[in-house]
């Protein structure tokens, strides 16, 4: 597939006209990636967000440098803020000892 910057520009301008807000979140690591991704999927459905998760499963002992791209709808677009709040206030992963923990190393 050939990279065409004009496609990206027209796509982003369509998003701006529609009022869609796109947010990229970087996660440093996931110790329990199966449980973590299941929870993120559940939240996106509850909050009516679109999104995709980029992670490599070939990292040992755990996936590192994971990216989530979220799109919030033009009407009721407060889902992204709620998503980010849940990351910091609810247990989403486990630490190296297996104890539940909150996300503290993600950046937007």
């Amino acid at each position: 597939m050939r990279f065409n910057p004009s496609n990206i520009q027209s796509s982003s301008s369509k998003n701006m006209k529609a009022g869609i807000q796109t947010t990229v979140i970087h996660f440093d690591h996931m110790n329990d990636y199966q449980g973590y991704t299941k929870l993120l999927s559940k939240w996106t459905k509850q909050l009516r967000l679109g999104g995709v998760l980029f992670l490599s499963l070939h990292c040992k002992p755990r996936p590192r440098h994971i990216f989530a791209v979220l799109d919030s709808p033009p009407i009721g677009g407060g889902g992204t803020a709620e998503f980010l709040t849940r990351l910091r206030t609810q247990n989403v992963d486990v630490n190296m000892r297996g104890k539940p923990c909150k996300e503290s190393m993600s950046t937007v």
Side-chain angles (χ1 to χ4, degrees):
M1 177 179 231
R2 192 169 211 203
F3 176 71
N4 185 350
S6 65
N7 288 346
I8 293 174
Q9 186 176 14
S10 64
S11 170
S12 77
S13 62
K14 286 179 190 175
N15 283 351
M16 290 179 72
K17 289 177 186 174
I20 294 174
Q21 178 184 0
T22 301
T23 305
V24 179
I25 305 169
H26 171 256
F27 300 95
D28 183 68
H29 64 274
M30 291 181 178
N31 289 319
D32 174 22
Y33 74 90
Q34 291 173 331
Y36 205 141
T37 55
K38 186 177 178 180
L39 181 64
L40 296 180
S41 176
K42 178 181 164 186
W43 287 353
T44 56
K45 289 176 187 171
Q46 288 175 348
L47 300 170
R48 296 179 176 226
L49 298 172
V52 64
L53 190 66
F54 297 97
L55 75 148
S56 173
L57 300 178
H58 300 290
C59 300
K60 298 293 180 193
R62 60 188 178 181
R64 301 238 12 200
H65 303 296
I66 300 101
F67 292 91
V69 180
L70 300 175
D71 285 334
S72 66
I75 299 172
T80 304
E82 175 63 23
F83 187 92
L84 295 171
T85 301
R86 288 182 186 188
L87 275 178
R88 301 291 179 162
T89 59
Q90 295 184 25
N91 291 332
V92 294
D93 200 7
V94 294
N95 64 16
M96 295 300 276
R97 294 181 181 155
K99 291 178 64 178
C101 62
K102 297 169 180 65
E103 178 57 56
S104 60
M105 299 184 73
S106 64
T107 55
V108 179

